[in-house]
Amino acid sequence: MRVKVKYTATEEINIFLTVENVRQMTATWLSKELDKELQPGRIMLIYCGKQLADSMKLFDYSVAHGDTFIAFIKHQIEEPANDDSMGEAADAPHPTAIEDDAPSGKAEDIAMEEDGDLPPLPNCDVCKNDSVKDCKSCGCTECGGKDDEEHTLSCDECGRFFHMRCLYPPLTIVPEEDWFCPDCFNKNEGVVEGEKTFGKSARKAKMPSATQTKSWGGGMACVGTTKKCTIVDKDYAGPIPGVHVGQSWRYRIHVSESGVHRPPVAGIAGKSSTPAVSIVLAAGYPEDEDHGDEFIYTGSGGYDLSGNKRTAKIQVFDQELTRQNLSLARACAAPINTDVGAEAADWRSSSPIRVCRSYKVAKKHPEFAPAEGVRYDGIYKIYKYRKERGHSGPYVWRFWFRRDDPEPVPWTPEGQLRAKELGLELYDPDGADADGRSHSLRKPTASSSVRVLPNAVLRELIRLDSANDRIWTEVLKATFSSESAFLEAVTERMFICAVCQELVQMPVTTPCGHNACAKCLCRSLNHSTDCPVCRASIEEMGDKERIMAGVNQNLVNIIMAMVPTYGKDWAIRPAITSVQRARRTGQPIVG
């Protein structure tokens, strides 16, 4: 039987009222109306198609004032207090159950609401509560029978009753979780529920990728960078401070984070308006030639990549001297010629280009390829470029590179010895599984850290910066995974502005030992005379105007020695004094 119960309290509804309280108040009211005791366990409350659990509160079901419940009353129950069919559903624990700490409501707050012609008492319009007559309205929806209540299920969505024997296929075990009738049950095919994963659909199973075993790099090309190189600008041409020839990374995304070659997929880093700054050799074109100190690099384009042709290996279009190809031409010290190409009169005056070799080069030139990952091989320069007919027929643009780097190449014994002395190892933050997948992109562990000692010139500049003795003492005592990590610590953590949280520009060091940009500190002192870090009074520590005007030139010189692009818009490089020149060259001090 179904009875609608409506909350009709005149005061604001207590949303923390428990379902058990509502069930008890409903049973109390019905017992008075029926003039016989009705156990709360015989009442099942339904709200918005869901059976309410005793351990929950109305708040958990988003019940608002004036909402309506549906109450089902079980008949022919010999032991109402131990009603299994009702008790298991009503008393089932809920994963988000909250302990009841709210006062229970009053029975007077629950009232019956008439539904059309229904009398206020529980009633069935079809069979008039005839316990013998079959009725699909209050009995089994399939056969209409009212027997075998222990094996009768109620749909958690529509509330109709079904004998387990009348279902197709028949059920032999009472479901422990929510159960839905065939009309309310939906198959969630292709839908991820909780921690479940997608299964192979019929269409996916027919695709070539369903049976492919090739490793595509573990999807590392599209994971996204976790940091950005701040040591140099994006378009900086030349070697990256702290990165030596022979340094290697397992994945291209790590090369991007280091700043050596920023595009995670493209082989050329450059745009049509500026010269290219770096490339990656991966033997992607049949026209490529590699001779170590010199190589011929084929430009980009010419493949039909429409639709599902991303792996096309036959060139169908002529390459054009645009975009990345034009950036390579601009790096050559020769006039731009879009018809046939050009050659530099002085190739050393060409723009420097950082060159990396991928392990894929081993397909054609294993003697120059790294064993795994991507390796930085130094600075090369373009001395000519030509438009020639390619192997597939269409024209390609070819660029001739020549090495111009004082560090030894990594495939020679000298280069291998230098890499060993510098402790250059494959950068692989988390290791890789057998299929090439990396777990994450965390930094190397402390066990791989070493102490990085600056050169003699930099140590002398650090000694002169007495205002930051505390910071430099901490930096020089620390250990880092590489020289690049040392530079990152200085430029990204130790000497950031206390106001703008960027590398200090025109740095001012306060008497209390904190650094800030001159403009940022000026704006801060307009509102308060305290240090923006330690809140110490700057006026009490000295002349405020003198402190604000005192740019720490020693710190400027140190950062300029570390970061080639630092202060290029505002810094004035001071002349080297006779004392500094003598200390650097070892000559006696004059004057």
Side-chain angles (χ1 to χ4, degrees):
M1 301 296 292
R2 293 189 295 176
V3 177
K4 288 189 177 181
V5 181
K6 185 175 181 181
Y7 193 93
T8 57
T10 56
E11 59 185 18
E12 184 179 358
I13 183 172
N14 183 0
I15 59 176
F16 293 104
L17 192 68
T18 64
V19 175
E20 186 177 4
N21 297 144
V22 177
R23 190 192 309 276
Q24 179 64 45
M25 289 185 288
T26 304
T28 302
W29 189 90
L30 289 175
S31 297
K32 294 180 180 179
E33 293 295 325
L34 299 176
D35 195 19
K36 66 176 181 178
E37 184 178 359
L38 181 65
Q39 297 296 333
R42 295 182 57 185
I43 299 175
M44 180 173 59
L45 297 177
I46 303 295
Y47 174 73
C48 293
K50 294 183 178 296
Q51 180 178 335
L52 307 187
D54 283 349
S55 58
M56 306 296 289
K57 297 181 175 61
L58 300 185
F59 173 80
D60 299 325
Y61 294 100
S62 302
V63 177
H65 179 72
D67 287 350
T68 302
F69 301 101
I70 299 178
F72 290 87
I73 303 176
K74 285 289 187 176
H75 291 271
Q76 299 181 356
I77 300 178
E78 297 179 358
E79 297 180 2
N82 298 324
D83 180 17
D84 295 336
S85 62
M86 194 63 62
E88 289 181 2
D91 299 332
H94 194 279
T96 58
I98 306 175
E99 294 184 2
D100 180 18
D101 56 358
S104 59
K106 298 181 180 180
E108 291 79 2
D109 292 336
I110 303 295
M112 299 293 298
E113 179 185 60
E114 296 184 1
D115 184 13
D117 297 330
L118 286 175
L121 295 177
N123 194 12
C124 176
D125 290 337
V126 179
C127 67
K128 305 302 180 182
N129 293 356
D130 190 340
S131 60
V132 179
K133 183 178 180 181
D134 293 343
C135 177
K136 294 185 178 182
S137 177
C138 59
C140 176
T141 304
E142 297 294 336
C143 67
K146 302 176 183 179
D147 60 329
D148 197 9
E149 289 194 5
E150 293 183 358
H151 297 89
T152 301
L153 302 178
S154 174
C155 177
D156 289 325
E157 182 66 26
C158 64
R160 294 182 298 170
F161 297 100
F162 294 85
H163 285 141
M164 294 172 58
R165 64 174 184 271
C166 296
L167 296 172
Y168 182 81
L171 293 180
T172 57
I173 301 176
V174 178
E176 295 182 358
E177 299 179 352
D178 294 345
W179 179 82
F180 302 95
C181 68
D183 295 334
C184 300
F185 178 73
N186 293 320
K187 293 182 178 180
N188 297 325
E189 293 182 353
V191 178
V192 178
E193 298 179 353
E195 299 181 355
K196 297 180 181 179
T197 57
F198 284 103
K200 288 185 179 180
S201 62
R203 179 175 177 270
K204 179 68 177 178
K206 297 179 181 179
M207 298 178 65
S209 60
T211 57
Q212 284 181 344
T213 58
K214 179 179 178 180
S215 174
W216 294 93
M220 294 299 292
C222 55
V223 297
T225 56
T226 59
K227 64 178 182 178
K228 183 176 66 174
C229 177
T230 58
I231 300 176
V232 295
D233 297 335
K234 180 179 180 180
D235 297 329
Y236 171 75
I240 304 296
V243 179
H244 299 279
V245 173
Q247 177 64 57
S248 58
W249 302 263
R250 179 175 294 278
Y251 296 112
R252 283 278 301 272
I253 195 67
H254 301 151
V255 185
S256 175
E257 293 175 349
S258 69
V260 175
H261 183 76
R262 301 201 182 232
V265 178
I268 304 173
K271 47 189 177 182
S272 59
S273 58
T274 58
V277 295
S278 63
I279 64 170
V280 173
L281 297 178
Y285 287 83
E287 294 82 7
D288 290 345
E289 298 181 16
D290 196 351
H291 306 286
D293 287 340
E294 294 189 9
F295 62 86
I296 303 176
Y297 185 81
T298 307
S300 62
Y303 289 142
D304 181 11
L305 303 179
S306 61
N308 192 25
K309 301 177 182 178
R310 301 295 300 179
T311 58
K313 294 300 181 182
I314 300 178
Q315 194 170 339
V316 295
F317 305 119
D318 292 339
Q319 289 185 354
E320 299 180 356
L321 196 65
T322 58
R323 304 177 67 180
Q324 284 84 3
N325 293 344
L326 183 56
S327 70
L328 289 175
R330 291 190 183 278
C332 180
I336 300 298
N337 189 322
T338 58
D339 296 329
V340 294
E343 184 172 355
D346 180 14
W347 69 274
R348 291 188 182 275
S349 61
S350 296
S351 179
I353 297 177
R354 299 183 295 273
V355 173
C356 297
R357 280 182 171 86
S358 171
Y359 70 96
K360 298 178 182 179
V361 175
K363 293 184 293 185
K364 295 183 178 179
H365 303 281
E367 64 273 23
F368 306 120
E372 54 183 334
V374 183
R375 185 189 63 210
Y376 172 59
D377 287 351
I379 296 296
Y380 285 70
K381 294 180 179 179
I382 299 176
Y383 63 90
K384 74 174 180 180
Y385 62 98
R386 288 281 186 269
K387 182 179 181 180
E388 299 180 352
R389 183 75 68 177
H391 285 64
S392 302
Y395 283 98
V396 297
W397 283 96
R398 307 182 75 193
F399 300 86
W400 278 256
F401 283 75
R402 185 172 293 160
R403 196 170 190 272
D404 187 20
D405 197 304
E407 296 192 57
V409 291
W411 55 82
T412 61
E414 295 81 3
Q416 295 173 2
L417 178 61
R418 176 171 173 78
K420 184 177 181 180
E421 292 175 351
L422 295 174
L424 302 181
E425 298 179 352
L426 178 70
Y427 182 82
D428 186 12
D430 226 17
D433 298 332
D435 60 352
R437 292 183 178 271
S438 178
H439 297 292
S440 64
L441 295 178
R442 63 176 177 84
K443 295 181 179 180
T445 59
S447 60
S448 62
S449 299
V450 295
R451 179 168 296 178
V452 179
L453 295 178
N455 55 44
V457 176
L458 191 56
R459 288 200 302 270
E460 174 62 20
L461 294 175
I462 292 176
R463 188 191 65 81
L464 296 175
D465 186 19
S466 58
N468 289 299
D469 278 342
R470 177 183 56 82
I471 298 178
W472 287 119
T473 301
E474 180 183 351
V475 172
L476 295 179
K477 287 183 178 180
T479 57
F480 303 92
S481 59
S482 63
E483 188 176 343
S484 298
F486 166 75
L487 297 177
E488 291 176 359
V490 172
T491 58
E492 296 180 8
R493 296 195 300 273
M494 298 300 181
F495 292 98
I496 60 174
C497 175
V499 179
C500 67
Q501 295 298 303
E502 299 289 343
L503 180 62
V504 287
Q505 305 293 321
M506 302 182 67
V508 174
T509 305
T510 63
C512 51
H514 300 107
N515 296 279
C517 303
K519 295 182 179 180
C520 295
L521 184 61
C522 182
R523 288 196 300 267
S524 177
L525 294 181
N526 288 336
H527 302 281
S528 173
T529 59
D530 297 339
C531 171
V533 179
C534 65
R535 314 310 298 174
S537 177
I538 292 182
E539 289 184 341
E540 295 179 0
M541 292 185 289
D543 185 4
K544 173 182 173 182
E545 300 298 330
R546 181 184 60 80
I547 295 174
M548 292 176 57
V551 175
N552 189 342
Q553 188 61 45
N554 291 324
L555 181 56
V556 172
N557 296 339
I558 294 172
I559 301 179
M560 289 177 65
M562 294 181 177
V563 182
T565 58
Y566 178 74
K568 63 180 180 180
D569 298 328
W570 53 266
I572 300 176
R573 297 179 182 270
I576 300 176
T577 64
S578 59
V579 177
Q580 292 175 334
R581 182 179 293 105
R583 286 174 174 167
R584 296 180 187 183
T585 59
Q587 299 176 356
I589 300 176
V590 179

